Amino acid sequence: MENYITLTIDNREVTVPEGTSILQAAHKAKVNIPTLCYHEDLCVAGNCRICVVEVEGSRTLTASCSTPASNGMVIHTSSPVVRNARKDIIALLVSEHNTQCTTCYRSLNCELQSLAAEYNVDNTRYLSVLKPNIQVDRSSWSIEKDDSKCVRCQRCVRTCSELQHVNAITVAHKGKDMKISTFMDLPLNEVVCVNCGQCVIHCPTGALTERRYYDDIWEAIGDPNKHVVINTAPSVRVALGETLDYPPGQRVTGKMVAAMKKLGFDSVLDTDFTADLTIMEEGSELLLRLKKAFRDKENVALPMISSCSPGWVKYIEHMYPEHLDNLSTCKSPQQMFGTLAKTYYAHKIGVKPEDIVSVSVMPCAAKKYEANRPEMKASGFQDIDAGLTTRELGRMIRQAGIDFGKLEDEKFDSMMGDSSGAAVLFGATGGVMEAALRTVYEIVTGRPVPFKNLNIMAARGLEKIKETSILLKGCKPEWDFLEGVELRVAVAHGLKNARTIMEQIKRNESPYHFIEIMACPGGCIGGGGQPIPTNDAIRKKRIAAIYAEDEGKEIRKSHENPEIVQIYKDFLPEGPLGKKSHKLLHTHYTKRNRY
Amino acid sequence: MTLVESTVTELTLKYGKERRQLLPILRGVYEKFHYLSDESMVEVARQLDISSAEVFGKATFYSFLSGSPQGEFVIRICKTIVCDMKNKKLIVDTLENLLKIKMGQTTHNRKFSLCYTNCLGLCHKAPAMLINNEAYTDLTPDKVRQIITSYKNR
Amino acid sequence: MKLSLKKVDLILGSYSNEEYKILFEMLSRNSDEILKDLIESGLKGRGGAGFPTGLKWKLCAEAVSDDKYIICNADEGEPGTFKDREILDRVPKRVLAGMALAAKVTGAAKGYIYLRAEYSFLVNKLQKELEEFHKILKSNNIKFNVEIFMGCGAYICGEETALLQSMEGKRGEPRNKPPFPTTTGYLGKPTVVNNVETLVSAFMVCRIGPEEFKKLGIQGSSGSKLFSVSGDTPKPGIYDLEFGLSLAEFVDEFGDGDTKAVQVGGASGFCVPRKKFNETTIGYRGGLTGDSLPTGGSMMLFNSSRSMYNILRNYLDFFAEESCGQCTPCRIGCQQLKNGIEAVKKGEKDPEYLNQLLKLSDTMKITSKCGLGQSVANSFSSIVTNFTEEMIY
């Protein structure tokens, strides 16, 4: 049985379970203690010392994040000695900081800036100890690293290690020279980094940000010779609102479309369309692999693993290059979109593909890298010209002076703008699995998946690894070899959990046929390009919005999307996995170094 | 197998491949090559199956694990207060003149490196220095000249 | 000259080949008795922090675990401190005997000596001693094994949790406490980390008995302590002195007739000016009136030819380099103190700025993560307060 303890925080008694930190206990007493190195996703570091409080009887102040509350403690969180100490610590951080806040991308969304403002810290209290000549690392397509804005809270390092198990960044050197560094302080594009951008959404300041490309987009929009198409990923519509003063979990699909039209894009399309297309191709690929395994008894790589998440793809390329065959050959929805924008779409509207600029808005930092992978030129041109984050789109809307709240809802343009509810699910962990099962089961049995209201609850939620199985019964004659097969599937999100799955595969102990892996905790709704802050409470709200969006759709299965039916009829007549699909919609992978 | 690979292999055979053996292994690599090259850190990372950035982060914490090539004999002169008071400067000048290099540098023949170090715990016999693992105390310019001559002949 | 200091010869004296024989006599006693003696003696840690040794062992003994560790902290990095080196060099059997006692009391089967890189020259000798030690343990059917773990040059690893991190292959960054090493130490197991001298003192307590031990020193600071004496003194070296000595007596004995200040406890200790020699007593905080000072035993004497500004700048240089860098007050604070006094000296900042820096040093004392971070500002505040003119002109 849990033991409870009682303590006094700012003259208020509070009872909490033993082991609760002072910070959490204060939270329960409705007392807010400022923090900086603390992040609810990560283990406690206790190194910024902002959250110090006074514990009666203690010679020193106490870090509330790292100290367990104990019975009878009497705590003051805002006494003069605490406030002075905090103010001093903030002043120290400011003295180490590049304080050109006016030109910082994170201005007004910076935790150090807020603290300095709250405590009215001026930056003349101490001499500047900012190191001179710090170069911003812009080597990566995805992530920008500016050490002059680093507060050394190590949230990025803990993220890269605890959540992602990549360890691309580390704490290096000590004392005054201590800094966050890559191996040998190499540029980010030369080290084992998967570009997931989780460091970016966990960074309290502007030290780690996404590479921004919206200025290029403005240029393209302003160029009368360019036809600029934009597509938005499923999870953007449930998070964009947060960058425009809406609370988390608000769906803003219609307003988002309206805003993009106002921004001047020639066509506003939906990545959800290619998400549906992905299900057609990936589902067919899964069935082909099952056919080879069960009917032809061929040696085929199973489990098959999803390939929509470019952070995950680069991770497996680095960490498990020997298992690249397990990866679905399907391109991600973004890249399928790009290819089709410059082939199918260009042809239909009669614009030369070289005049098309294809832009995507993604919840993701890795998509920027993916767009620039050398093999992503199936259309004969760079398929996606630029990938923006949700945050960048929010920034563009603000720059344009659009009163977002007052916009009337609008609809995506046609041809590649229609989508099913299944496609929307891609935004949350488990969504690709759920969407795939809705289609695959129906292809095999001719009946809808046997779940109430098509909702596959076992694939949903924030559990580290989710697994379920579906018994294939009453299969159509052409799939009779699957009769009685229990299709076993798993879903993992966050690369640390992906590693668990991969180690199982490596040991040859994986019981699954199909696995969905997303690089980011929570899936795309928690992606590295999403609004800051992101934490589990916010992830859950965005996830709820995804499921609401699905339920609100008339069509909820990818294969029933009329534009999907249309494209296979008009452009991909051989159907999924046909020659043309193979050329345009599938890809190959590269073995990379693990160390 | 390269020399780096075989060296790290020997060390992991001796100490094991657990994370907690990182420091002894890095020390072993340092003793063999007189510094930690990128290649050697990657090899340690590979054999311990941790990221090379992690190895780098740990290595740079420790001042005896230099990341740049050092001479066969590394001369560390204590710069902490008592040695400083007892004319460390004169010892440094003598060494710089003798070896024709400045503090922080290595001779062309890769025989000697000169660097400062923090308190050697030999304050009662200041000024003091280490040459690799040997301690030399109560230094005078004459004494330093003799010591260096003996090392030059090694 | 009349000697008013009480010199003893406990730690290093009458060392013989009988040490292990004496150890085995002790090991035949029951653990509770040993622990009782230790607690009774009032022995406190000799590394500087002064935690009661008996209590530390008791906490580790009470922790439930199959694996426990005894670690001898020989990462002696505090500027001006060299007694542990001397102990390891001259009476290594007593260090190992102390570890064996701790192992017996706590139930540990494995021990490590964390030896700083700068003391590599001691390794061969220690290794030989360990061989003999293990042989004798084996012949007496005692399961305890000690290994040397080499540091790689980091002052902060003298902090016990930083030392543990370092041993686990991590950066030597102090951990959050609680939990303490006695329950969650090396590899997460209950661990006793004791300074070299503490282990020898523990052995000597059991050897002469707590009553004899308590006759040395004063109430609250029992026993004697090795002092590392250096700087402007005609007789630098190691001295075993009873606690409770006044600094005036000390300077009488060791000064060169012109002593203007004594740095007690190394760079992270306090600088005592001449005018306070009489009122300063050396012992652990708490049991004494007046300015009692905790100490790892470093005593650096400065005569009137020394610039206190240079001395302070030397310390601050040291701390700015050797801070682990993880926590804000210590990482940036050390740089601010150093740059600050330089700016005042050069006239780039008003002398008033020293007051701002004194406030900062107060903040560092109460907000830094580890004991070392909390004490790095001691030298700053004591030097700046007592020698303000020297900082300015």
Side-chain angles (χ1 to χ4, degrees):
Chain A
M1 214 182 75
E2 218 167 15
N3 288 324
Y4 282 83
I5 50 171
T6 300
L7 64 158
T8 308
I9 301 178
D10 293 348
N11 302 318
R12 197 170 315 180
E13 270 204 355
V14 56
T15 299
V16 292
E18 203 169 11
T20 306
S21 70
I22 296 175
L23 183 70
Q24 290 163 327
H27 191 73
K28 201 180 166 204
K30 305 256 187 294
V31 171
N32 184 37
I33 299 174
T35 57
L36 185 64
C37 71
Y38 179 82
H39 194 290
E40 45 271 77
D41 286 351
L42 307 171
C43 80
V44 166
N47 58 26
C48 75
R49 317 305 287 175
I50 298 282
C51 72
V52 287
V53 296
E54 194 179 342
V55 178
E56 282 189 11
S58 171
R59 184 175 53 86
T60 59
L61 298 181
T62 301
S64 60
C65 65
S66 63
T67 310
S70 61
N71 215 15
M73 261 184 176
V74 180
I75 291 166
H76 305 283
T77 72
S78 197
S79 60
V81 63
V82 170
R83 292 191 58 81
N84 282 333
R86 253 182 224 154
K87 186 165 180 168
D88 229 3
I89 292 168
I90 298 164
L92 288 176
L93 287 168
V94 169
S95 78
E96 195 187 38
H97 197 77
N98 173 356
T99 50
Q100 291 178 334
C101 295
T102 44
T103 55
C104 181
Y105 184 55
R106 286 290 298 274
S107 192
L108 304 180
N109 180 14
C110 166
E111 294 178 36
L112 180 63
Q113 193 184 42
S114 307
L115 285 168
E118 272 170 34
Y119 279 76
N120 195 21
V121 171
D122 66 67
N123 64 357
T124 58
R125 179 181 283 206
Y126 297 115
L127 300 162
S128 170
V129 290
L130 174 65
K131 303 264 177 312
N133 307 321
I134 291 175
Q135 300 292 317
V136 181
D137 179 0
R138 295 198 177 89
S139 64
S140 155
W141 288 108
S142 298
I143 295 165
E144 227 175 82
K145 180 167 176 279
D146 182 353
D147 291 342
S148 74
K149 293 171 182 167
C150 175
V151 292
R152 289 139 177 95
C153 64
Q154 305 187 24
R155 269 157 54 165
C156 55
V157 176
R158 281 177 279 152
T159 299
C160 200
S161 164
E162 292 167 26
L163 301 182
Q164 302 300 66
H165 216 303
V166 173
N167 295 300
I169 39 181
T170 182
V171 185
H173 307 285
K174 68 179 165 201
K176 61 185 186 333
D177 300 321
M178 182 271 219
K179 63 178 289 195
I180 307 306
S181 173
T182 55
F183 176 61
M184 301 301 286
D185 218 2
L186 288 169
L188 272 171
N189 68 335
E190 291 179 29
V191 302
V192 181
C193 165
V194 304
N195 306 306
C196 68
Q198 282 299 311
C199 56
V200 171
I201 59 164
H202 286 90
C203 179
T205 69
L208 287 159
T209 53
E210 72 270 40
R211 280 285 304 282
R212 273 99 56 199
Y213 298 100
Y214 53 77
D215 282 337
D216 300 343
I217 309 304
W218 284 125
E219 288 279 311
I221 290 173
D223 184 342
N225 299 320
K226 296 289 180 197
H227 182 92
V228 190
V229 297
I230 189 162
N231 71 104
T232 55
S235 62
V236 174
R237 65 207 67 191
V238 300
L240 176 70
E242 291 166 46
T243 70
L244 297 158
D245 305 330
Y246 279 84
Q250 185 86 29
R251 287 185 281 149
V252 294
T253 319
K255 288 190 195 318
M256 174 181 78
V257 173
M260 291 189 292
K261 289 186 173 171
K262 259 190 141 62
L263 289 176
F265 288 101
D266 295 297
S267 185
V268 176
L269 301 172
D270 201 352
T271 326
D272 285 16
F273 166 78
T274 36
D276 278 332
L277 191 64
T278 300
I279 289 302
M280 299 306 292
E281 294 290 330
E282 196 164 317
S284 305
E285 186 185 356
L286 174 64
L287 288 172
L288 180 65
R289 289 192 193 206
L290 293 176
K291 186 189 276 181
K292 285 181 178 169
F294 285 92
R295 192 191 68 181
D296 310 336
K297 309 291 178 208
E298 271 180 46
N299 204 1
V300 59
L302 281 175
M304 186 177 92
I305 313 177
S306 68
S307 58
C308 312
S309 166
W312 151 243
V313 168
K314 188 147 185 271
Y315 181 85
I316 188 176
E317 288 179 329
H318 280 297
M319 302 292 174
Y320 299 94
E322 68 279 19
H323 289 295
L324 288 178
D325 285 347
N326 291 82
L327 213 48
S328 159
T329 59
C330 285
K331 283 183 184 174
S332 71
Q334 165 177 282
Q335 292 310 131
M336 288 195 185
F337 182 93
T339 315
L340 294 176
K342 294 189 180 184
T343 52
Y344 174 63
Y345 174 85
H347 180 75
K348 283 238 174 182
I349 62 163
V351 176
K352 283 189 280 182
E354 58 262 45
D355 289 335
I356 288 189
V357 176
S358 63
V359 183
S360 58
V361 185
M362 295 285 140
C364 191
K367 290 281 176 194
K368 294 169 185 286
Y369 170 81
E370 186 188 36
N372 287 286
R373 287 176 80 117
E375 65 272 24
M376 294 299 177
K377 293 188 167 79
S379 63
F381 304 90
Q382 180 165 326
D383 293 335
I384 287 288
D385 292 289
L388 303 180
T389 59
T390 308
R391 299 185 291 267
E392 285 173 277
L393 178 60
R395 184 63 58 109
M396 288 183 81
I397 293 169
R398 278 194 191 274
Q399 278 182 11
I402 293 170
D403 190 345
F404 192 75
K406 296 218 174 93
L407 291 174
E408 294 285 332
D409 285 1
E410 290 191 40
K411 282 203 154 60
F412 286 104
D413 293 324
S414 62
M415 207 177 335
M416 288 166 54
D418 252 1
S419 64
S420 72
V424 179
L425 299 181
F426 271 57
T429 167
V432 170
M433 180 58 65
E434 187 167 348
L437 290 179
R438 284 184 191 174
T439 290
V440 166
Y441 188 87
E442 201 160 318
I443 290 177
V444 172
T445 66
R447 289 172 278 120
V449 278
F451 295 96
K452 190 179 169 204
N453 207 12
L454 302 178
N455 296 339
I456 307 177
M457 301 312 285
R460 300 184 179 188
L462 286 176
E463 211 179 309
K464 290 176 188 172
I465 293 172
K466 295 164 279 188
E467 50 176 4
T468 191
S469 61
I470 297 187
L471 188 61
L472 298 175
K473 267 198 320 206
C475 296
K476 289 185 184 167
E478 63 267 41
W479 301 104
D480 59 355
F481 56 90
L482 288 177
E483 184 65 33
V485 168
E486 197 179 2
L487 189 66
R488 298 177 69 102
V489 299
V491 174
H493 59 119
L495 293 171
K496 190 171 191 188
N497 301 326
R499 178 170 288 234
T500 309
I501 291 275
M502 289 312 297
E503 287 298 319
Q504 204 180 24
I505 292 177
K506 206 171 164 179
R507 291 192 308 268
N508 216 1
E509 288 169 6
S510 181
Y512 310 114
H513 299 111
F514 184 37
I515 301 171
E516 174 205 300
I517 295 182
M518 294 292 158
C520 293
C524 301
I525 53 91
Q530 292 286 46
I532 302 168
T534 292
N535 55 39
D536 269 354
I538 292 173
R539 288 186 188 100
K540 282 177 188 157
K541 288 182 179 161
R542 292 180 191 154
I543 286 174
I546 288 279
Y547 291 121
E549 185 92 357
D550 166 41
E551 299 251 12
K553 287 268 190 181
E554 215 169 298
I555 293 169
R556 296 184 58 216
K557 301 173 212 156
S558 299
H559 55 277
E560 290 176 358
N561 176 349
E563 286 186 355
I564 291 291
V565 177
Q566 187 76 27
I567 195 174
Y568 277 112
K569 194 165 138 239
D570 293 356
F571 188 67
L572 303 165
E574 291 168 292
L577 308 183
K579 228 185 201 160
K580 205 159 171 188
S581 282
H582 191 76
K583 178 169 177 278
L584 297 178
L585 306 181
H586 290 253
T587 185
H588 58 272
Y589 304 105
T590 309
K591 290 187 176 178
R592 297 175 199 272
N593 287 335
R594 183 165 178 157
Y595 304 99
Chain B
M1 214 193 256
T2 65
L3 185 57
V4 165
E5 283 168 7
S6 59
T7 304
V8 177
T9 305
E10 265 170 44
L11 288 163
T12 50
L13 281 173
K14 179 173 172 192
Y15 293 111
K17 291 187 173 184
E18 289 155 304
R19 167 63 168 271
R20 65 194 167 99
Q21 305 302 350
L22 181 58
L23 224 48
I25 291 168
L26 289 177
R27 212 185 142 83
V29 174
Y30 176 81
E31 274 171 9
K32 176 93 181 183
F33 299 104
H34 304 288
Y35 84 114
L36 300 180
S37 61
D38 358 355
E39 187 196 351
S40 65
M41 280 188 270
V42 170
E43 184 57 25
V44 171
R46 197 179 66 76
Q47 296 207 21
L48 267 57
D49 194 23
I50 55 181
S51 93
S52 46
E54 273 190 89
V55 176
F56 176 73
K58 304 328 170 235
T60 53
F61 189 84
Y62 298 96
S63 49
F64 274 50
L65 301 175
S66 179
S68 58
Q70 301 288 301
E72 185 185 350
F73 301 110
V74 179
I75 306 173
R76 298 173 200 271
I77 300 129
C78 176
K79 65 174 180 183
T80 308
I81 188 64
V82 178
C83 287
D84 189 66
M85 285 159 54
K86 304 283 171 175
N87 233 339
K88 162 209 80 187
K89 175 86 171 53
L90 193 60
I91 304 306
V92 169
D93 290 347
T94 308
L95 282 164
E96 287 185 338
N97 285 332
L98 276 174
L99 300 172
K100 300 189 176 55
I101 53 172
K102 293 285 171 201
M103 293 302 288
Q105 296 180 337
T106 298
T107 55
H108 282 301
N109 60 5
R110 291 240 171 280
K111 189 134 186 176
F112 294 100
S113 293
L114 272 184
C115 61
Y116 284 117
T117 192
N118 283 321
C119 189
L120 287 175
L122 296 161
C123 319
H124 57 322
K125 296 175 184 169
M129 67 181 181
L130 282 183
I131 301 183
N132 290 356
N133 294 334
E134 288 303 311
Y136 296 89
T137 56
D138 293 314
L139 296 174
T140 61
D142 273 347
K143 208 166 163 183
V144 168
R145 271 186 281 275
Q146 284 172 21
I147 295 166
I148 295 302
T149 310
S150 77
Y151 272 91
K152 277 186 172 165
N153 297 331
R154 278 196 198 182
Chain C
M1 194 184 78
K2 196 167 169 286
L3 185 68
S4 55
L5 288 179
K6 293 176 195 151
K7 287 191 182 175
V8 292
D9 203 8
L10 183 66
I11 305 288
L12 300 172
S14 61
Y15 183 67
S16 73
N17 280 329
E18 300 293 289
E19 305 290 328
Y20 291 144
K21 212 178 115 194
I22 301 164
L23 168 68
F24 289 119
E25 281 163 25
M26 289 178 198
L27 290 177
S28 65
R29 297 173 65 198
N30 116 9
S31 292
D32 289 344
E33 281 173 35
I34 299 173
L35 206 50
K36 201 170 143 249
D37 276 3
L38 213 54
I39 291 171
E40 174 77 30
S41 75
L43 174 65
K44 291 179 181 172
R46 296 318 198 209
F51 191 82
T53 308
L55 180 58
K56 194 181 256 190
W57 291 16
K58 185 165 182 269
L59 290 169
C60 183
E62 285 167 359
V64 182
S65 173
D66 288 343
D67 300 311
K68 294 184 184 182
Y69 299 97
I70 306 299
I71 294 170
C72 167
N73 183 348
D75 193 47
E76 183 177 51
E78 186 63 48
T81 314
F82 41 88
K83 43 113 188 162
D84 292 340
R85 175 181 49 68
E86 202 79 3
I87 293 173
L88 288 166
D89 192 33
R90 284 165 58 183
V91 295
K93 290 183 203 302
R94 288 184 180 170
V95 179
L96 297 176
M99 292 181 77
L101 274 183
K104 154 107 184 168
V105 168
T106 58
K110 182 79 197 172
Y112 292 93
I113 299 172
Y114 188 101
L115 186 67
R116 70 190 298 232
E118 290 84 345
Y119 291 171
S120 295
F121 49 80
L122 291 174
V123 168
N124 286 341
K125 194 171 171 182
L126 281 176
Q127 215 53 278
K128 281 209 189 84
E129 190 58 54
L130 278 175
E131 277 167 33
E132 191 194 331
F133 178 66
H134 288 143
K135 211 158 75 191
I136 296 178
L137 285 182
K138 202 175 168 195
S139 63
N140 282 271
N141 259 332
I142 294 170
K143 201 175 155 276
F144 182 54
N145 175 277
V146 177
E147 258 180 68
I148 298 173
F149 190 100
M150 290 306 300
C152 289
Y155 163 76
I156 190 64
C157 290
E159 200 278 348
E160 59 178 359
T161 59
L163 179 150
L164 295 172
Q165 292 289 95
S166 172
M167 283 184 65
E168 291 179 8
K170 300 170 187 161
R171 292 166 57 81
E173 294 173 346
R175 298 175 181 171
N176 289 305
K177 289 172 289 259
F180 293 94
T182 43
T183 56
T184 312
Y186 181 51
L187 304 175
K189 305 290 183 188
T191 303
V192 165
V193 185
N194 274 150
N195 169 262
V196 175
E197 186 186 354
T198 310
L199 289 162
V200 175
S201 299
F203 175 64
M204 297 313 280
V205 162
C206 295
R207 188 154 157 184
I208 64 173
E211 287 312 316
E212 281 301 307
F213 188 79
K214 279 201 303 195
K215 284 181 188 161
L216 305 172
I218 50 169
Q219 176 81 40
S221 298
S222 54
S224 67
K225 165 102 192 69
L226 284 190
F227 287 87
S228 311
V229 180
S230 67
D232 294 317
T233 167
K235 37 185 175 183
I238 300 283
Y239 298 89
D240 198 346
L241 305 173
E242 283 188 44
F243 271 126
L245 64 151
S246 92
L247 203 52
E249 292 167 339
F250 178 86
V251 172
D252 269 354
E253 169 76 11
F254 295 103
D256 62 357
D258 187 23
T259 307
K260 84 166 167 186
V262 180
Q263 182 76 26
V264 180
S268 68
F270 293 84
C271 185
V272 184
R274 185 183 292 150
K275 63 175 186 270
K276 291 187 181 164
F277 288 169
N278 272 318
E279 60 194 70
T280 305
T281 318
I282 307 299
Y284 296 103
R285 198 194 293 259
L288 293 172
T289 52
D291 261 336
S292 57
L293 295 169
T295 173
S298 159
M299 305 292 267
M300 294 187 280
L301 294 91
F302 305 121
N303 68 23
S304 59
S305 72
R306 304 297 173 190
S307 151
M308 296 313 289
Y309 168 81
N310 284 345
I311 290 167
L312 178 56
R313 206 181 52 167
N314 187 286
Y315 293 161
L316 293 173
D317 246 334
F318 173 82
F319 288 127
E321 264 179 37
E322 293 291 344
S323 160
C324 79
Q326 67 169 326
C327 88
T328 312
C330 183
R331 178 186 69 251
I332 311 179
C334 290
Q335 297 175 64
Q336 287 298 352
L337 297 181
K338 174 175 174 280
N339 295 2
I341 62 163
E342 286 173 357
V344 169
K345 193 75 173 180
K346 285 190 213 145
E348 293 163 5
K349 279 274 185 187
D350 290 340
E352 284 299 296
Y353 189 56
L354 292 175
N355 291 328
Q356 178 78 63
L357 295 177
L358 281 170
K359 282 189 203 152
L360 170 60
S361 73
D362 288 340
T363 299
M364 292 167 68
K365 284 177 197 172
I366 58 171
T367 61
S368 292
K369 184 168 179 173
C370 75
L372 289 170
Q374 289 159 11
S375 59
V376 291
N378 289 340
S379 53
F380 179 87
S381 50
S382 54
I383 291 176
V384 169
T385 313
N386 291 307
F387 300 96
T388 316
E389 286 80 16
E390 289 196 41
M391 299 300 117
I392 303 167
Y393 305 109

